[in-house]
Amino acid sequence: MNSEKIKNSLNISPAIRVGVLGFGGLGQAAAKVLAGKREMILVAAADQKGYAYAAEGLNTEKSVATYQAQGSVGYLEPIGTLTNQSIQDLIEIAEIDGYFLALPNLPNDFIPNVAKEFIKSGWRGVLVDAIKRTTAVEQLLAMKEELEAAGITYMTGCGATPGLLTAAAALAAQSYAEIHQVEITFGVGIANWEAYRATVREDIGHMPGYTVETARAMTDAEVEALLDKTNGVLTLTNMEHADDVMLEVAGIVGRDRVTVGGVVDTRNPKKPLSTNVKVTGRTFEGKISTHTFTLGDETSMAANVCGPAFGYLKAGRQLHQRGIYGIFTAAEIMPQFVR
């Protein structure tokens, strides 16, 4: 096949119509990532107070500016709608192929409950999340039959970690006859914690002496006070992180051999340390070795979460078009590059 035929074969499908649920720091970053894509188009965004929908595509700059100035994309004229049930209302009126759930999973059953809303609605398409906690992913995995019956292809744990690094661990494991340890270490730097309030609260929920419930109940002032004590740095060890259940379900390694931890600097965009996954195992020759996959320090948290999420959305779309429904994790399916 010559280059012209290959080029033509890559442009036969219309752009995938995407909606982003949640328009805080991660949702806005997702919109900016989509603005540079040809194979996907952002047609809807929703937040707690409203949604905006335009079949021909949303203007990313106007959407972000409206949210930042007025607190909701529902104020975006003339396509915004203010409503206290933005997700349910959007599902009913919008023609969308796939949604990225850029939502805070506080409490742990929040995103599973959102998935149930999609099931009840009769909508059929692809859902992608980037949630972190093992218990949340386990709840979604338990919904496999419901999702299959509803005609929904759900891709869970598809951000950076779990997500990109989980997939890397699954790939690296192929060199070994036995996996001894999977160790994930992340470094995140953000210049302004308020832009990622929900994400920071989720991280606080992993700290000793805190739970998801206590972190969720903290006021902004209380979060600020905690960050003042730590100089803006959160150090996290032995986290309840869905990489463990995802690698276990994929048959790669037991969850007891997976550890996740890292450092989040909420006052400096520079990463405090490099993000990496180390996979240690025994080869068929009896050698003990470690593979290390390290993310470039120049890639932001937003780039490492949103990029893979949309890569998995594309992969999920291909499964959905083949009539394959249910739930899949980043350890089972490889993402597809989105041009």
Side-chain angles (χ1 to χ4, degrees), residues 80 202 232 280 291 322:
E202 284 190 65
T280 300
H291 287 328
R322 292 162 55 193

Side-chain angles (χ1 to χ4, degrees), residues 117-285:
E117 291 294 330
F118 277 95
I119 292 172
K120 291 177 185 176
S121 74
W123 176 84
R124 298 167 69 89
V126 182
L127 299 176
V128 177
D129 71 44
I131 58 178
K132 304 174 184 177
R133 282 189 173 265
T134 300
T135 48
V137 169
E138 286 176 328
Q139 290 177 55
L140 288 164
L141 291 173
M143 296 166 58
K144 178 181 179 180
E145 292 183 1
E146 296 173 73
L147 291 163
E148 286 179 346
I152 293 173
T153 305
Y154 195 118
M155 314 294 289
T156 189
C158 294
T161 176
L164 179 59
L165 295 187
T166 329
L171 187 60
Q174 307 309 313
S175 296
Y176 304 115
E178 180 186 17
I179 307 301
H180 293 168
Q181 183 74 30
V182 175
E183 182 181 4
I184 294 173
T185 306
F186 61 83
V188 174
I190 52 178
N192 181 2
W193 85 267
E194 288 91 342
Y196 291 91
R197 284 185 174 90
T199 298
V200 171
R201 281 190 171 82
E202 284 190 65
D203 288 336
I204 291 173
H206 286 281
M207 295 175 63
Y210 293 87
T211 65
V212 170
E213 290 72 24
T214 57
R216 182 189 179 203
M218 292 174 70
T219 65
D220 284 358
E222 289 172 332
V223 173
E224 286 279 10
L226 173 61
L227 295 177
D228 284 340
K229 290 181 181 178
T230 64
N231 197 30
V233 175
L234 303 177
T235 301
L236 309 165
T237 58
N238 295 320
M239 301 170 70
E240 182 204 329
H241 226 258
D243 302 88
D244 58 3
V245 66
M246 289 163 58
L247 289 168
E248 183 173 83
V249 167
I252 294 167
V253 65
R255 67 180 70 189
D256 59 318
R257 297 189 179 189
V258 180
T259 60
V260 181
V263 178
V264 180
D265 188 341
T266 64
R267 296 177 178 174
N268 189 340
K270 183 178 179 181
K271 291 182 182 180
L273 50 87
S274 296
T275 296
N276 66 83
V277 57
K278 295 179 180 179
V279 181
T280 300
R282 175 182 55 80
T283 70
F284 77 96
E285 304 103 334

Side-chain angles (χ1 to χ4, degrees), residues 26 100 129-130 158-162 164 300-311:
L26 186 59
F100 174 36
D129 71 44
C158 294
T161 176
L164 179 59
S300 65
M301 175 189 72
N304 290 331
V305 172
C306 297
F310 292 125

